[in-house]
């Protein structure tokens, strides 16, 4: 923090009665012109405002204590000083004595260069300058508070350290950047605080710090001074390997930390308990990454984190920021990556949050046709404002750099890209070119992805984007949005629509299960079976399947087999790995009793084996965005609801894998599928195996090709296709 220069005499305004009256009433005014040490008529005088204090003394250069005189009954105290000095005060409160330096004896904290960077929308400057930062000023320990509120008439810091009295600590306005700052000596980590803001319209509100690195446990809403980042990481080997493994197969276990498992009292687990229980569980299933629903601090638990206000703070629901860092560190040392859902599309209108932060629409748009999200009744960021874009980019960098996160999944990207998203005619405004695209959001997303890619080329930034916007994962230099991956929402909707149908009707909707292959290589896709598909009355994955319970389980096994072989990375929401019958309830833990039933343990074993194959077989893990890695064998057998395809590894990197799925409950015998190589083919995996809870129909582990041309090949396999099953086959070496 910057040093203190003596206060210039010409910077002091005349302390007329109305100015002092405004000061003691907590009204707008220049506190630094009235409080602290000032040279007046050639003599130094000290004035402090300490409402409720019984007496105040200042320590002189000789070490003696000199009493200040009360000026009226409003908490003003004054005295003369022999010279300019850093004033240490002894304050007698009704119940305690406090010794602390006078906050108004410190000079400006942010340099002109830093202010210029803030004004220009520099995300690194925003992270370094705004919020509450522990440090020193003039050799004194304390906290520098800074907040962007350019249209506010007055901003004060309130907190544990001043009895939440908005009169005590008004801040200095740095006009060039619209930033208010104040150094408060002796404030320590753990202190709760807010900003008491008098808006341009005269409104008064206490706001949480948008840049807070920690927050109170909801429903409390204060920000918390966080200790400086000094976590002792043990994941160097992981971070080095991450930079060298661009071809890694990705298989994601999506988790809502509050409802995966509860303790004996029905309470969510903290990060340490999750580390003890969740990490070994996910490792045993063979997933490569844990994806957490948003952990940014959020006031409403029922939003699952998708209405965040603390974009820099891990939610206090599971422990401290250091505890979260410890969880990530443990994931990495166990060989698991961590992905966070991150919400830059909107924020809630809670009174303590960013809505009309300084009395104006600062972070959002003033016009509801631009600034109000009709689906969630939330506010939309003004991406065209440099300081807002910097706030969001800074948040993303914070998770990557402070917490070593391996990826962010950006929620609701489609709602960001289109001005008319979920809006009827007349409820939206066109862009400057007359179109429906949100050009400012497009620019922001490109800025975000370029910044992340330049700083951290080995991390992932994934888009939940549900439209046909071109080039979501194309580089920004090629006019793309620059994401590393895109959720394949079309695959998810089409295949679930198909699987919901009774098998007798599936033949009439065969394109729903095959259509995704047409565009599977247009982006780098992730195939998501996410939380959104098992909540709000949609039912669980298992209960979407038709038929009796045996058929439901068989359908789900066949579906998983098809999914893990389909081009694209994999994502499965918690509970799906054991086919939880009930849909997800965020207020309760998963149905672990059902997970222990034999049929459901079989589903779990299948998911584990599929993940194992994904990691071992290059044909399944590579060429996910290259059509040379995929070849249809049977795409048009709609009558039998059978499909077959081959996944090819890059040349000399592994053997091809034939995948055959029978989406009917009828056993298909002597079903011919052409294959490129003669010889004995092993049945590598059969979702109908008794090991997984199936009927154990199959091909006795392997079979010999027959010299019958089929599907462009000279050799064929005469397969037995089990009911509602997926087979993986591979030629013997």
């Amino acid at each position: 923090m910057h040093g203190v220069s003596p206060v210039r005499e010409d910077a002091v305004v005349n302390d007329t009665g109305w100015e002092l009256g405004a000061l003691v009433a907590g009204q707008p005014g220049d506190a630094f012109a009235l409080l602290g040490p000032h040279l007046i008529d050639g003599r130094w005088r000290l004035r402090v405002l300490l409402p409720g204090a019984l007496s105040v003394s200042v320590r002189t250069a000789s070490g003696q204590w000199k009493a200040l005189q009360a000026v009226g009954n409003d908490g003003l105290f004054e005295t003369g000083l022999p010279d300019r000095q850093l004033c240490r005060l002894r304050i007698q409160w009704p119940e305690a004595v406090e010794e602390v330096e006078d906050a108004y004896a410190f000079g400006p904290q942010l340099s002109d260069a830093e202010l210029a960077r803030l004004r220009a929308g520099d995300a690194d400057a925003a992270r370094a300058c705004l919020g509450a930062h522990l440090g020193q000023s003039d050799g004194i320990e304390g906290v520098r508070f800074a907040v962007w509120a350019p249209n506010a008439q007055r901003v004060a810091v309130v907190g544990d350290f001043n009895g939440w009295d908005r009169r005590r600590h008004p801040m200095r306005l740095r006009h060039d950047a619209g930033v208010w700052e104040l150094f408060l000596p002796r404030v320590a980590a753990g202190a709760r605080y807010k900003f008491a803001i008098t808006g341009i319209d005269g409104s008064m509100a206490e706001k949480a710090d948008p840049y807070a690195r920690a927050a109170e446990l909801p429903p409390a809403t204060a920000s918390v001074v966080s200790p400086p980042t000094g976590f002792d990481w043990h994941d160097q080997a992981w971070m080095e390997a991450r930079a060298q493994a661009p071809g890694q197969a990705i298989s994601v276990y999506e988790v809502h930390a509050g409802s995966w498992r509860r303790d004996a009292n029905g309470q969510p687990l903290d990060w340490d308990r999750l580390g003890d229980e969740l990490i070994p569980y996910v490792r045993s299933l063979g997933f490569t990454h844990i994806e957490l629903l948003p952990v940014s601090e959020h006031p409403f638990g029922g939003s699952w984190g998708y209405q965040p206000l603390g974009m820099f703070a891990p939610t206090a629901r599971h422990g401290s920021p250091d505890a979260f860092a410890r969880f990530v560190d443990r994931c990495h040392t166990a060989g698991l990556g961590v992905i966070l859902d991150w919400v830059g599309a909107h924020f809630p209108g809670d009174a303590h949050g960013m809505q009309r932060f300084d009395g104006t629409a600062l972070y959002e748009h003033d016009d509801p046709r631009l600034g109000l999200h009709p689906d969630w009744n939330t506010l939309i960021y003004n991406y065209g404002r440099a300081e807002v874009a910097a706030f969001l980019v800074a948040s993303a960098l914070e998770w990557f750099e402070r917490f070593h996160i391996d990826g962010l999944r950006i929620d609701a990207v489609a709602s960001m890209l289109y001005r008319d998203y979920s809006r009827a005619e007349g409820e939206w405004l066109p862009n400057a070119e007359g179109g429906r695209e949100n050009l400012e959001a497009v620019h922001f997303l490109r800025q975000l992805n370029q910044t992340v890619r330049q700083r951290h080329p080995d991390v992932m930034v994934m888009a939940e984007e549900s439209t046909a916007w071109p080039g979501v994962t194309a580089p920004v230099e090629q006019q793309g949005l620059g994401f590393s991956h895109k959720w394949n929402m079309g695959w998810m909707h089409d295949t679930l629509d198909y699987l919901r149908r009774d098998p007798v009707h599936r033949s009439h909707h065969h394109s729903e299960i095959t259509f995704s292959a047409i565009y599977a290589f247009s982006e780098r896709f992730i195939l998501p079976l996410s939380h959104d598909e098992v909540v709000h009355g949609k039912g669980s994955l298992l209960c979407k399947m038709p038929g009796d319970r045996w058929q439901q389980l068989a359908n789900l096994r066949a579906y998983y087999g098809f999914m893990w072989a389909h081009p694209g990375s994999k994502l499965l929401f918690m509970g799906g790995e054991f086919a939880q019958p009930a849909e997800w309830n965020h207020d309760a833990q998963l149905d672990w009793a059902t997970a222990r039933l034999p049929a459901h343990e079989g589903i779990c074993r299948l998911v584990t084996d599929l993940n194992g194959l994904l990691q071992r077989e290059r044909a399944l893990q590579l060429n996910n965005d290259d059509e040379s890695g995929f070849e249809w064998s049977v795409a048009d057998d709609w009558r039998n609801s059978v499909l077959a395809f081959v996944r090819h590894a890059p040349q000399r990197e592994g053997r091809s894998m034939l995948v055959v799925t029978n989406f009917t409950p009828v056993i298909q015998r002597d079903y011919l599928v052409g294959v490129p190589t003669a010889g004995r083919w092993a049945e590598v995996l059969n979702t109908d195996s008794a090991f997984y809870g199936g009927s154990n129909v199959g091909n006795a582990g392997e079979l010999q090709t027959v010299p019958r041309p089929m599907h462009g090949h000279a050799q064929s396999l005469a397969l037995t296709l089990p009911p509602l099953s997926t087979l993986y086959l591979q030629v013997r070496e």
Side-chain angles (χ1 to χ4, degrees):
M1 298 183 183
H2 299 279
V4 180
S5 301
V7 178
R8 303 192 317 270
E9 184 177 2
D10 60 8
V12 180
V13 300
N14 294 322
D15 49 353
T16 61
W18 70 266
E19 289 168 332
L20 285 176
L23 179 71
V24 299
Q27 295 174 358
D30 186 353
F32 275 87
L34 300 172
L35 299 178
H38 291 288
L39 190 62
I40 302 175
D41 296 330
R43 298 174 64 89
W44 285 99
R45 289 195 63 79
L46 172 66
R47 179 186 290 142
V48 298
L49 176 62
L50 297 164
L54 300 179
S55 64
V56 185
S57 300
V58 61
R59 189 167 63 184
T60 65
S62 63
Q64 302 298 308
W65 291 96
K66 180 181 180 181
L68 279 70
Q69 301 300 310
V71 181
N73 299 314
D74 297 317
L76 280 173
F77 296 84
E78 292 185 359
T79 192
L81 295 173
D83 52 30
R84 172 76 164 92
Q85 65 183 67
L86 187 63
C87 303
R88 185 171 179 85
L89 306 175
R90 178 182 286 170
I91 308 164
Q92 177 68 58
W93 300 104
E95 298 179 354
V97 176
E98 177 186 14
E99 288 192 16
V100 65
E101 288 73 20
D102 176 24
Y104 296 90
F106 296 92
Q109 300 296 301
L110 298 174
S111 69
D112 290 342
E114 288 170 321
L115 295 174
R117 292 173 62 198
L118 288 171
R119 188 171 61 250
D122 186 314
D124 286 317
R127 292 173 66 200
C129 297
L130 299 178
H133 292 270
L134 285 165
Q136 292 186 350
S137 189
D138 276 10
I140 305 300
E141 299 284 345
V143 176
R144 185 196 67 211
F145 295 92
V147 62
W148 178 57
N151 302 302
Q153 296 188 59
R154 179 182 188 271
V155 181
V157 185
V158 295
D160 295 328
F161 38 80
N162 61 17
W164 298 88
D165 188 339
R166 63 183 296 124
R167 297 171 295 174
R168 285 276 307 277
H169 288 126
M171 304 176 78
R172 173 193 282 114
L173 173 61
R174 307 299 300 277
H175 293 272
D176 285 351
V179 171
W180 300 76
E181 61 168 24
L182 184 67
F183 178 78
L184 290 184
R186 310 297 172 181
V187 175
R192 299 177 304 151
Y193 71 99
K194 285 186 178 181
F195 295 115
I197 298 177
T198 302
I200 193 172
D201 55 357
S203 62
M204 299 173 69
E206 291 187 358
K207 297 284 191 177
D209 180 4
Y211 282 84
R213 269 64 177 187
E216 280 190 291
L217 178 66
T221 57
S223 301
V224 175
V225 176
S226 181
T229 54
F231 183 78
D232 184 17
W233 291 92
H234 304 88
D235 65 347
Q236 182 179 0
W238 168 271
M239 300 295 279
E240 291 175 354
R242 187 181 77 181
Q244 300 168 7
Q248 180 196 25
I250 298 170
S251 179
V252 181
Y253 185 72
E254 189 188 31
V255 177
H256 177 250
S259 60
W260 178 72
R261 187 173 285 165
R262 298 287 179 103
D263 66 17
N265 298 315
Q267 296 302 307
L269 304 184
D270 63 19
W271 290 120
D272 289 327
R273 282 284 301 277
L274 283 166
D276 293 340
E277 300 180 27
L278 177 63
I279 292 173
Y281 179 75
V282 177
R283 270 189 55 82
S284 73
L285 293 169
F287 287 96
T288 63
H289 291 74
I290 294 173
E291 179 170 334
L292 296 167
L293 271 59
V295 300
S296 302
E297 193 59 84
H298 51 283
F300 177 45
S303 76
W304 318 327
Y306 288 100
Q307 294 188 10
L309 284 174
M311 295 293 285
F312 293 74
T315 178
R317 291 169 174 86
H318 306 289
S320 68
D322 266 4
F324 176 65
R326 191 160 54 245
F327 172 80
V328 176
D329 195 45
R330 292 178 67 182
C331 285
H332 285 174
T333 56
L336 287 172
V338 180
I339 301 165
L340 299 185
D341 276 16
W342 184 86
V343 185
H346 60 119
F347 61 94
D350 296 68
H352 71 281
M354 292 179 289
Q355 58 90 21
R356 301 198 71 83
F357 191 75
D358 61 358
T360 68
L362 188 64
Y363 286 88
E364 72 272 33
H365 294 273
D366 201 25
D367 192 322
R369 292 173 294 178
L370 295 172
L372 183 66
H373 202 299
D375 284 354
W376 305 302
N377 196 33
T378 51
L379 302 171
I380 299 171
Y381 286 105
N382 183 352
Y383 304 107
R385 191 159 195 169
E387 296 91 342
V388 175
F391 167 76
L392 292 169
V393 173
S395 167
L397 292 175
E398 188 85 357
W399 295 106
F400 286 125
E401 295 175 3
R402 182 183 178 196
F403 295 110
H404 289 201
I405 295 302
D406 302 286
L408 294 179
R409 175 264 197 184
I410 313 300
D411 179 65
V413 170
S415 76
M416 302 169 70
L417 292 174
Y418 300 97
R419 287 173 171 241
D420 63 344
Y421 186 89
S422 288
R423 298 180 189 272
E425 190 68 31
E427 294 178 352
W428 60 281
L429 296 176
N431 62 36
E433 299 174 0
R436 59 193 285 255
E437 299 81 9
N438 189 331
L439 301 179
E440 294 80 9
V442 172
H443 177 77
F444 160 70
L445 290 171
R446 288 172 172 165
Q447 176 190 355
L448 170 67
N449 287 323
Q450 269 191 316
T451 302
V452 171
R453 190 66 51 233
Q454 290 166 0
R455 299 269 282 267
H456 306 287
D458 55 345
V459 303
M460 297 176 285
V461 184
M462 308 168 175
E464 185 209 17
E465 204 287 303
S466 55
T467 74
W469 186 281
V472 172
T473 58
V476 172
E477 296 78 10
Q478 299 175 16
Q479 302 306 306
L481 294 182
F483 286 94
S484 67
H485 297 80
K486 172 181 174 175
W487 274 24
N488 194 336
M489 309 296 283
W491 174 89
M492 179 269 295
H493 286 300
D494 285 349
T495 57
L496 284 179
D497 285 347
Y498 179 84
L499 268 295
R500 284 189 184 97
R501 304 183 190 280
D502 189 293
V504 74
H505 300 303
R506 287 175 179 168
S507 62
H508 303 292
H509 302 275
H510 196 65
S511 63
E512 291 176 340
I513 201 70
T514 60
F515 180 68
S516 59
I518 295 175
Y519 62 87
F521 311 103
S522 61
E523 304 275 7
R524 286 186 295 279
F525 281 120
I526 290 177
L527 310 182
L529 293 178
S530 75
H531 64 280
D532 277 329
E533 309 318 312
V534 294
V535 74
H536 294 325
K538 295 179 182 178
S540 66
L541 291 178
L542 180 66
C543 290
K544 295 182 197 302
M545 305 296 118
D548 59 22
R549 182 51 52 89
W550 190 95
Q551 291 190 35
Q552 287 180 318
L553 289 163
N555 269 295
L556 192 58
R557 290 193 301 268
Y559 186 30
Y560 286 171
F562 169 74
M563 171 183 176
W564 255 256
H566 192 286
S569 299
K570 326 302 174 191
L571 180 141
L572 185 64
F573 184 57
M574 63 183 198
E577 77 278 10
F578 62 82
Q580 175 167 290
E583 73 173 23
W584 171 49
N585 175 8
H586 71 270
D587 285 325
Q589 68 175 357
L590 296 181
D591 183 0
W592 293 107
T594 294
R596 292 188 289 270
L597 298 177
H600 295 266
E601 288 181 330
I603 297 282
C604 203
R605 286 193 290 267
L606 173 63
V607 170
T608 303
D609 285 353
L610 287 169
N611 278 328
L613 273 177
L614 186 64
Q615 293 306 311
R616 291 194 304 273
E617 295 296 336
R618 303 290 277 173
L620 297 175
Q621 63 183 240
L622 298 180
N623 283 339
N624 277 312
D625 55 353
D626 185 344
E627 61 185 6
S628 67
F630 178 89
E631 179 186 4
W632 276 118
S633 296
V634 179
D636 57 355
D637 189 3
W638 54 270
R639 290 181 178 83
N640 293 305
S641 297
V642 170
L643 54 98
F645 55 85
V646 177
R647 291 295 307 274
H648 295 295
Q651 192 173 18
R652 294 187 298 277
E653 288 201 40
R655 293 172 292 162
S656 298
M657 185 77 71
L658 173 67
V659 182
V660 187
T661 300
N662 174 16
F663 279 123
T664 73
V666 177
I667 299 174
Q668 307 274 352
R669 300 192 186 277
D670 294 322
Y671 192 96
L672 289 173
V673 178
V675 292
T677 306
R680 300 200 68 78
W681 283 66
E683 193 175 73
V684 177
L685 184 140
N686 178 351
T687 66
D688 191 52
S689 166
F691 184 63
Y692 306 133
S695 60
N696 225 30
V697 174
N699 297 276
E702 66 177 25
L703 67 167
Q704 178 70 39
T705 55
V706 294
R708 181 170 175 179
M710 186 71 64
H711 307 129
H713 300 292
Q715 305 289 325
S716 299
L717 292 174
L719 296 167
T720 296
L721 304 185
L724 298 170
S725 67
T726 296
L727 303 177
Y728 287 49
L729 300 113
Q730 196 171 54
V731 68
R732 290 288 192 191
E733 289 184 317

